Amino acid sequence: MSDQITFTIDGVEVKGKPGQTILEAADAAGIYIPRLCFMKDLIPHGSCRVCTVFINGRPQAACTQPITEGAIVENDTAELKEHRKNIIDMLFVEGNHFCMFCEKSGNCELQAMAYRLGISAPKYPYLFPKRDVDATHPDILIDRNRCILCGRCVEASRDVDKKTIFEFVGRGADKKVAVNANADLKDTDFKATDKAADVCPVGCIIKKRVGFAIPVGQRKYDTKPIGSDIEAGKK
Amino acid sequence: MSKPKVATASLAGCFGCHMSVLDIDERILKLIELVDFDKSPVDDIKEFTGRCAVGLIEGGCANEENVRVLQDFRRHCDVLISVGDCATMGGIPAMRNNIPLKECLDEAYLNGPTVYNPSGIIPNDKEIPLCLDKVYPCHEVVKIDYHMPGCPPSADTIWQTLVALLTNKPVDLPYELIKYD
Ligand code: SF4
Ligand code: SF4
Ligand code: SF4
Ligand code: FES
């Protein structure tokens, strides 16, 4: 078996190793496929669908789909940009995102994705759902107003920290991140040093007393769009 | 040829977005060469004197008067722009949106820890505009042509958008100028 697989992304030839996903191979080649739920070193959850690409004409999640010889992948197209904008728009109106006072602002992957896609306001009506905040833990808080149900905390706590503190409960619009079924965060052995305390892409699971430390203008996505680090590695 | 006219209003906002307009500093002199101000708190003209090229709206709609003013702007302005997070998504006032209105009023006038209100009356004078059930972003009330997020949008964002519109150029802002905070 060959140890190299060749395929194309938007007409550009990309080489990858067997077992790699489209997203991993694209990253290695310096091609950015927008994504939200995916995080390196966690099992791809495939929940957000922002990374959707067309593979031989069929829509697939790039973060879960393995590369295949000769595949024709479309990524940076007007249609997919529209699809990605739609998802981001929905995530904004389905939660309560008050970026103007959010500790994560400037370092938030959801916000950064909206910036990269050029969204000035979501096109859907705001739902303003009622969501709760759990500030019981001395060092970490959960503000579910900002949760996008990416699943990173669930996986990191289960697979890396081996604690399984977080789990999804409910369905549809009522789905939420729960803590050990019905406990408060203070009743768990969650620590600020846990992996799960560092994975949230948005301002939902955040450490106390560290917010707003970086001045506006110097935060991660203030001047450089999300993904530009990957694009900088373009071959 | 007479100059195009610009109108501005502050609905359910804090006037911070108007402050950001003033923050264009000396460029305000260039702005005055480009436009005349019509109805606006900047010159204190209370009613429209004619058709306007651009209307800038700060703040969302929290009460019936906000809705009337916004509709009046839509009728008089060729291009209507939501300026700031309050106008584009409700902003800070919209934090009341998942609390029933009665609970909000009770907290403000009856139950809040600093309330002194021996008569127990919630203000209900006819002169006071009625609160809406929640705070609405402007584009959920009338058609809005452009959205300028930010709390407030920076003076550069406002300046570059206005100049592009008034000189018939495409509004193509650099990455740094579209921010939600
Ligand atoms: S989590 Fe991100 S998008 Fe949501 S309010 Fe915070 S900065 Fe904004
Ligand atoms: S709390 Fe954060 S990490 Fe967990 S599912 Fe929600 S957005 Fe994802
Ligand atoms: S967006 Fe911010 S600055 Fe503008 S009116 Fe609202 S609170 Fe004030
Ligand atoms: S990044 Fe692939 S589905 Fe979320």
Side-chain angles (χ1 to χ4, degrees), chain A residues 2-52:
Chain A
S2 152
D3 60 353
Q4 188 160 287
I5 290 175
T6 308
F7 65 106
T8 65
I9 300 177
D10 296 330
V12 176
E13 197 177 273
V14 175
K15 291 185 199 312
K17 292 191 264 313
Q20 268 186 325
T21 61
I22 303 259
L23 191 124
E24 286 167 333
D27 279 5
I31 297 172
Y32 180 65
I33 299 175
R35 79 291 302 268
L36 259 189
C37 65
F38 172 85
M39 188 178 209
K40 210 165 168 294
D41 302 330
L42 296 181
I43 301 166
H45 191 239
S47 58
C48 75
R49 300 283 141 174
V50 170
C51 70
T52 299

Side-chain angles (χ1 to χ4, degrees), chain A residues 108-215:
Chain A
C108 167
E109 293 175 42
L110 173 66
Q111 186 192 59
M113 193 57 70
Y115 292 165
R116 181 175 171 118
L117 294 171
I119 296 171
S120 51
K123 60 174 110 24
Y124 302 113
Y126 284 91
L127 299 180
F128 295 113
K130 197 161 177 54
R131 302 263 189 88
D132 50 12
V133 176
D134 178 346
T136 56
H137 193 283
D139 301 318
I140 307 142
L141 77 87
I142 308 181
D143 184 343
R144 293 189 178 86
N145 290 292
R146 305 162 181 163
C147 179
I148 56 169
L149 303 173
C150 70
R152 287 186 190 175
C153 57
V154 175
E155 293 191 358
S157 184
R158 183 192 60 212
D159 302 337
V160 183
D161 304 329
K162 310 281 184 216
K163 292 186 177 177
T164 315
I165 288 171
F166 302 102
E167 199 47 88
F168 288 129
V169 295
R171 288 192 177 275
D174 296 321
K175 184 169 170 177
K176 66 170 192 170
V177 162
V179 174
N180 279 353
N182 263 328
D184 288 330
L185 200 54
K186 69 166 168 23
D187 306 320
T188 69
D189 54 356
F190 196 32
K191 298 255 167 1
T193 46
D194 286 357
K195 175 81 173 166
D198 268 324
V199 295
C200 187
V202 291
C204 180
I205 297 179
I206 42 175
K207 292 180 192 165
K208 295 183 177 177
R209 298 177 295 276
V210 296
F212 312 114
I214 310 170

